[in-house]
Structure formats: C-alpha cells, structure tokens
C-alpha cells in the first residue's frame, strides 16, 4: 500500500535496517570508509556503496576527506550530516531556565540561560520556555522551526493522568492544569516533559557511568534528594510519575515528616539532603564555611572534607555517608540493582572517599550489595539528558529510510 512503512523481511525494510545500522556506526565511530562500514555491518562492497549513495542522496551522510597514514590508496570517508536535524533540551529550576540545541550527531551548537525572577514578578511559563529556546536557537544560527523535538526537564513530574506537575511545589508558575496545552500551542515541534533526575540517568546510561547497564539506581543530591530507577533498560516512572521521589522516604534517624508534599520534604531529605550538610559542619565545629546558595555551600563543604579526610572533616563524611546509605538500603532491598550511580554536586564533590564510605555502610545495612560508582556526566547533566532524550526520538524519525 502506498505510504506504508513496509512489511518486515521485505527488501525495503532490510535496506532501512542496514541504513540505520550504518548511521549508528558513523555516530559511534566518526568518519568511516566504505570498506570499514562494509566490514562492521557485514555488507558486501557493492551493497555498502549503494547504501552510502542512498544516504548521501537523502542528505543523511556527507563525504568528508580521505583516510591517510595507512598502506595503499586513500579511501573516501563518510560522516553523518550534522545539519540533517536538530533537537533541543531545557533544564528548568526555580532560579533559571537553561536551554541548548544539538545537531543530529549530538554536538551542542547553541546554549542560552534565562534567569527567572521570584514568584511575584515571574514571567508566564510559556514566555520563559519560548524565550529560553529562542535564545539557544539564535545562538546556534537557526530558526525555531529548525528544531525537530524539545525535551523539558523539571523537578517533580507531570502526572500522566492529570497533566499537572506534582512533587515540585517550589517551581512557581508550572502548576496550571492548562500549561501543557498552552506550551503545545506556542511551540511548533513535539514537546516531551521528564523529571530532571530521570534525565540525569539517561545521560549516565548513554554517555557515562551506567553505559552497558540495564538495571541501576541513580541517586541525585543537589537542590533536592531524588532517585531515578532504570529496570530492564527502561525508566520506571510509576503511576503518577513520582517513582524515585525518595526525598519523601521515611528513614531511621530523622523525625517523621507529615504532609510531605505540602512541606516539600521528607525524612530522607532532612537526614541526607544538601541543606543538612552545612548544619552538620557547624555541629562538628568546622569553621570558615563558604557563603552562597546551600547547594553550592554543601558541595564545597563535602569537597573540602574529602580532601582533608581527618578529624571533623572525616566525621562529616562518615555521618553523611551513613545518612545516604540509610535511604539507599531501602531502595536496594526492594529493587536489587546491579549498580548505584551517585550524582549531583553534593555527591560528586565527595569523589572516591565518599563513595567508599557509602559502599561500606550500604554493605552493612542491605542484604544485596550493588556496586556504587560516581557519575561521569557532571556538566549540566539534566540538560545533557534532555538533549540525549530528544536526539534519540529525532534519530528514530529522521534515520527511518523505510518511509
């Protein structure tokens, strides 16, 4: 039937599968010759030549230079056409909206940061989103219509049953029941919304410490304490999108917090969240604490404690590690993951000293013993995850040559 995507096993579908395999290889390895593509895909030289001609005609690959420094004649190299499509991501916090645009290869080509004012003077959310996106698009030398897909990362999660943002009362302006419809009307491209910590997990799974792992937990500690749960290679979001909101978890060592969504806090957050670290340092007699937002202060205190590693600094790390392991023990006892990734500035600042202490404590508190690692994606991980998510969907669309 005209316009169909083809029947599995037909030459058209098999060609599309080979096309996608070649494009993925070019993304993974960079420029490759026809011969190298043939070897990696198992295709004959004539078939590889036809494939590359087809992809070049479709605007998906470009001829780019020749191989040098090897015996024999030089060979033409091919790469994915960076301009074949673009995708965008947004990282939203109460203080700012950070936007970026990436080309189809994953290279960031434009960024923009929009500071967001306090509750009283806040711009409408739709205006914040469009202004931030337009700033990144302009920096990339593109137009808004050039972006194929946008993924927006926020604290909390949009309830798939109601469309309302939950678990993020501290994000002003994002709780209107009509917000998603208003954003859809204002933007020309498909828009997806994802929890910020889930996006960090996507970044670590695609680019960082969780590559090759199908089951892992990512524990995040920065503005808030949260987790992402990846089971069988897929994010587990839960019925209301709230899976991983572990800051609300009641834990030993912290008073019970009731009406947790109203308080926007819980036992685990009070015990091991970033805001508890400066107070712990004062209790231990650590002086000359830096000033600034508590997330920055917490990261600096943890980094200093890990560097000094003795006296009250060591006690701070040990107490912090026990608090972290207390909540993690509940998670791993239920989920039994093979890996736990520690991310967010209040965790990554502790590096290997903190990781080792949490690992040792967790082995005392939990029956299963997952391996703990520090996250690799430390520069704007929420934004990087948003871009990776948007790029994955964009590539599935643009690289499908069966259409």
């Amino acid at each position: 039937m005209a316009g169909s995507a083809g029947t599995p096993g037909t030459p058209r579908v098999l060609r599309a599968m080979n096309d996608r395999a070649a494009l993925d290889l070019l993304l993974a390895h960079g420029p490759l010759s026809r011969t190298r593509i043939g070897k990696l895909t198992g295709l004959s030289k004539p078939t590889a030549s036809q494939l590359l001609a087809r992809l070049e005609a479709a605007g998906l690959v470009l001829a780019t230079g020749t191989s040098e420094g090897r015996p024999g004649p030089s060979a033409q190299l091919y790469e994915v056409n960076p301009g074949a499509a673009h995708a965008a991501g947004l990282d939203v916090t109460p203080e700012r909206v950070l936007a970026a645009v990436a080309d189809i290869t994953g290279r960031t080509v434009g960024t923009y940061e929009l500071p967001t004012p306090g509750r009283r003077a806040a711009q409408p959310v739709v205006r914040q989103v469009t202004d931030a996106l337009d700033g990144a698009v302009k920096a990339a030398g593109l137009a808004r219509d050039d972006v194929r897909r946008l993924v927006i990362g926020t604290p909390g999660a949009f309830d798939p049953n109601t469309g309302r943002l939950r678990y993020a009362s501290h994000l002003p302006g994002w709780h209107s029941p009509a917000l998603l419809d208003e954003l859809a009307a204002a933007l020309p491209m498909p828009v997806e919304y994802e929890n910020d910590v889930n996006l960090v997990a996507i970044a670590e799974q695609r680019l960082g410490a969780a590559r090759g792992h199908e089951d892992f937990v990512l524990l995040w500690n920065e503005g808030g304490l949260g987790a992402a749960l990846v089971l069988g290679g897929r994010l587990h979001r839960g019925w209301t999108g709230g899976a991983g909101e572990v800051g609300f978890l009641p834990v030993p060592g912290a008073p019970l917090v009731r009406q947790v969504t109203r308080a926007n806090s819980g036992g685990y957050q009070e015990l091991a969240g970033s805001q508890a670290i400066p107070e712990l340092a004062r209790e231990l007699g650590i002086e000359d604490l830096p000033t600034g937002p508590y997330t920055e202060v917490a990261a600096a205190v943890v980094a200093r404690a890990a560097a000094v590693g003795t006296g009250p600094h060591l006690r701070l790390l040990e107490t912090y590690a026990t608090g972290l392991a207390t909540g993690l023990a509940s998670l791993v006892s239920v989920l039994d993951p093979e890996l736990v990734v520690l991310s967010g500035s209040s965790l990554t600042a502790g590096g290997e000293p903190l990781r080792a202490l949490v690992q040792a404590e967790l082995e005392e508190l939990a029956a299963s013993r997952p391996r703990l690692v520090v996250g690799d994606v430390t520069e704007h991980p929420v934004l990087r995850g948003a871009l990776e998510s948007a790029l994955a969907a964009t590539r599935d669309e643009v690289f499908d040559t069966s259409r």
Side-chain angles (χ1 to χ4, degrees):
M1 184 175 68
S4 69
T7 304
T10 63
R12 181 180 181 183
V13 172
L14 293 174
R15 282 197 301 270
M17 292 173 64
N18 288 334
D19 290 348
R20 181 59 192 264
L23 289 164
D24 286 343
L25 286 168
L26 289 169
L27 286 174
H29 296 279
L32 296 172
S33 68
R34 180 200 63 180
T35 300
R36 183 64 175 154
I37 290 174
K39 288 181 178 179
L40 290 171
T41 59
L43 299 175
S44 66
K45 289 184 179 180
T47 302
S49 294
Q50 293 170 6
L51 177 152
L52 287 167
R54 186 166 59 247
L55 294 179
E56 191 171 11
L60 295 176
V61 302
L62 298 172
T64 172
T66 57
S67 62
E68 297 179 356
R70 296 179 181 179
S74 60
Q76 178 67 60
L77 298 177
Y78 295 86
E79 67 178 2
V80 172
N81 178 6
H86 293 84
L90 263 64
D91 172 15
V92 179
T93 71
E95 297 78 28
R96 54 101 179 109
V97 180
L98 185 62
V101 175
D103 64 34
I104 198 70
T105 70
R107 182 175 64 95
T108 299
V109 294
T111 61
Y112 186 78
E113 182 171 345
L114 177 72
T116 50
R119 290 176 181 269
R120 294 182 181 177
Q123 290 178 315
V125 164
V126 173
R127 178 71 180 275
Q128 292 178 15
V129 168
T130 55
D131 283 358
L133 176 62
D134 287 345
V137 166
K138 182 179 179 181
L142 302 170
R144 191 191 291 183
D145 289 347
D146 293 324
V147 175
R148 297 288 292 259
R149 186 172 296 268
L150 171 65
V151 171
I152 299 176
T154 68
F158 284 92
D159 190 323
N161 304 295
T162 66
R164 300 192 68 163
L165 184 65
R166 302 186 65 187
Y167 317 107
S169 59
H170 61 300
L171 194 62
W174 283 79
H175 300 88
S176 165
L179 176 60
L180 299 190
D181 290 336
E182 292 171 356
L183 284 167
L187 295 166
M189 74 289 291
V191 184
E192 297 176 8
Y193 306 88
E194 185 59 88
N195 169 261
D196 52 0
V197 184
N198 283 348
L199 291 176
V200 178
I202 289 173
E204 290 290 350
Q205 189 178 36
R206 303 266 175 86
L207 306 170
R211 278 180 293 185
H213 292 275
E214 295 290 301
D215 294 271
F216 69 94
V217 169
L218 181 135
L219 184 69
W220 169 266
N221 199 11
E222 198 159 300
L225 188 59
L229 318 176
V230 178
L231 308 174
R234 301 182 65 180
L235 281 167
H236 175 68
R237 297 179 176 86
W239 174 245
T240 65
E245 293 290 341
V246 295
F248 299 126
L249 187 70
V251 293
L256 281 176
V257 178
R258 301 185 185 275
Q259 302 293 327
V260 292
T261 54
R262 184 177 299 174
N264 199 40
S265 187
Y268 196 20
Q269 179 70 41
E270 295 300 314
L271 181 68
S274 296
Q275 85 288 346
I277 295 171
E279 182 60 31
L280 176 60
R282 294 185 190 96
E283 292 175 1
L284 292 171
I286 296 175
E287 300 178 348
D288 299 325
L289 298 183
T291 59
Y294 73 86
T295 54
E296 297 177 9
V297 173
V301 168
V302 171
R304 181 182 174 192
V308 175
T310 59
H313 296 283
L314 178 58
R315 291 196 295 275
L316 182 143
L317 275 189
E318 291 172 340
T319 304
Y320 182 35
T322 299
L324 292 168
T326 300
L328 273 176
S330 296
L331 287 179
V332 303
S333 295
V334 173
L335 298 172
D336 191 24
E338 61 175 313
L339 186 75
V340 174
V341 180
L342 304 178
S343 187
S345 60
S346 293
L347 289 171
T348 58
E352 175 57 22
L354 178 61
R355 186 214 64 80
L357 288 169
V358 178
Q359 179 86 64
E361 281 290 88
L362 189 60
E363 290 178 359
E364 294 286 333
L365 298 175
S368 62
R369 296 184 174 183
R371 183 167 61 93
L372 268 64
V373 296
V374 179
D376 289 336
V377 184
T378 56
E379 184 175 356
H380 303 307
V382 175
L383 184 63
R384 190 66 249 176
L387 286 173
E388 288 299 314
S389 180
L391 284 166
T394 299
R395 288 166 182 160
D396 285 344
E397 178 183 333
V398 174
F399 289 172
D400 184 357
T401 59
S402 68
R403 299 180 182 183

